[in-house]
Amino acid sequence: MDEMMKMEYYRLSEKESGSSAAAATIVEEEMGIIRKGAWTEEEDAILANYVSVHGEGHWNSVARCAGLKRSGKSCRLRWLNYLRPNLRHGNMSVEEQVLILHLHLRWGNRWSKIAQELPGRTDNEIKNYWRTRVVKQAKQLNCHVNSKQFRDTLRLLWIPRLLERIHPQTLTLTPSSSMSLHQPSNNSHSLSSTNSASASAEFEAAIWTDEIMDSEFEAAIWTDENICFLQQQLTHI
DNA sequence: AACAGTTTCAACCGCTTTATC
DNA sequence: AGATAAAGCGGTTGAAACTGT
């Protein structure tokens, strides 16, 4: 935090002392001062302008100083999920989808951690993708999304198949990375083996190509053909 | 065209973690 | 060391958009 920010922060904290900020928020909410629901363009502009001048952080203060009738939490979320620069909205590319599948096998529902590996994507977006696409497809295949059966099928068959289609060279990496994809794991909650960290890094690097950042086409990995393939594999695994 | 059912995703909620005093 | 506030996180909800009849 730079000095200007610090000064501003302490000034505001002082202002808020006495009755706590949280208590103030509750009172404001009860009085109908705190707005909820969809953000308007005007509110977006106010928030974006304020953050561009003062920087991120101290969201309760942002809400007050910018004149927004919103909670600090709401301001933070709106900024992180919508207004922040360099965000990518819209359809996920094939590479992004495969990476999500891969990282979820490794980390589970650690959405923010997964989001860190997908530049421009938010944890909320990834979480929504998972729930609306992956969980849905698993249900249609009569599987639980976290079952060993479904996870093994993803890890051993489905992801390699998708990779082969998008980047044929990915599967001819070093033995270590291939192992990380093909080696069955006793631990159903982890893709990892001893060398998995470096192998996974190699895997992720292989998925990401220069064109991904420009990729705008609708990337359908959940095609009838692919789902049929999954269905067949699930009955044999 | 109108309605019902389904899907999507932005936003909220509540809990946990981290930072500060 | 404990209290408090802020930030972060994952789960859930509900309105809008979409699709089928």
Side-chain angles (χ1 to χ4, degrees):
Chain A
M1 202 190 301
D2 63 32
E3 282 309 306
M4 286 289 281
M5 284 282 288
K6 264 185 193 164
M7 282 175 66
E8 177 75 353
Y9 175 60
Y10 291 133
R11 189 180 66 79
L12 294 167
S13 302
E14 216 170 311
K15 226 175 164 182
E16 280 168 0
S17 65
S19 64
S20 73
T25 304
I26 291 165
V27 171
E28 284 166 352
E29 205 165 326
E30 281 170 356
M31 292 170 69
I33 293 171
I34 295 284
R35 262 179 55 78
K36 288 186 180 181
W39 280 65
T40 64
E41 280 183 29
E42 195 187 349
E43 287 176 311
D44 281 347
I46 292 169
L47 179 58
N49 183 51
Y50 190 91
V51 176
S52 71
V53 173
H54 297 93
E56 294 180 32
H58 318 298
W59 296 104
N60 286 328
S61 309
V62 168
R64 288 199 174 78
C65 297
L68 286 163
K69 293 170 180 169
R70 295 278 182 173
S71 68
K73 262 186 167 185
S74 182
C75 291
R76 174 183 166 272
L77 208 64
R78 185 63 178 171
W79 172 257
L80 292 177
N81 287 344
Y82 194 82
L83 298 173
R84 190 161 45 106
N86 305 320
L87 280 179
R88 285 157 57 79
H89 293 291
N91 296 325
M92 298 270 184
S93 67
V94 170
E95 289 88 344
E96 285 175 310
Q97 293 176 77
V98 174
L99 193 52
I100 290 169
L101 296 178
H102 168 70
L103 293 175
H104 190 275
L105 283 170
R106 181 142 57 115
W107 293 326
N109 296 0
R110 303 284 305 280
W111 307 118
S112 63
K113 194 170 167 73
I114 293 172
Q116 285 170 13
E117 306 297 319
L118 284 99
R121 297 293 185 183
T122 67
D123 54 355
N124 211 28
E125 211 172 1
I126 292 167
K127 184 169 58 182
N128 280 332
Y129 169 78
W130 186 263
R131 293 187 63 80
T132 59
R133 309 298 209 288
V134 186
V135 173
K136 189 183 97 180
Q137 293 301 338
K139 264 186 191 164
Q140 283 178 3
L141 293 164
N142 294 318
C143 270
H144 191 278
V145 76
N146 288 326
S147 67
K148 186 173 190 308
Q149 184 192 27
F150 189 73
R151 293 168 62 87
D152 281 351
T153 305
L154 286 188
R155 182 166 55 83
L156 302 172
L157 301 162
W158 175 234
I159 293 176
R161 175 184 155 103
L162 289 169
L163 283 178
E164 201 165 13
R165 295 200 164 179
I166 54 177
H167 299 308
Q169 73 279 14
T170 304
L171 291 184
T172 57
L173 289 170
T174 66
S176 66
S177 60
S178 295
M179 286 292 282
S180 77
L181 283 171
H182 292 101
Q183 203 174 53
S185 166
N186 291 331
N187 178 1
S188 66
H189 294 290
S190 169
L191 181 74
S192 61
S193 58
T194 340
N195 298 322
S196 70
S198 62
S200 278
E202 200 171 349
F203 172 88
E204 283 140 33
I207 290 180
W208 288 101
T209 61
D210 290 342
E211 73 253 32
I212 190 168
M213 301 313 289
D214 307 306
S215 172
E216 287 181 8
F217 64 94
E218 162 68 45
I221 68 170
W222 302 103
T223 59
D224 290 346
E225 184 201 354
N226 283 338
I227 291 166
C228 184
F229 169 81
L230 259 183
Q231 180 90 67
Q232 285 169 0
Q233 301 306 324
L234 280 165
T235 58
H236 291 114
I237 200 156

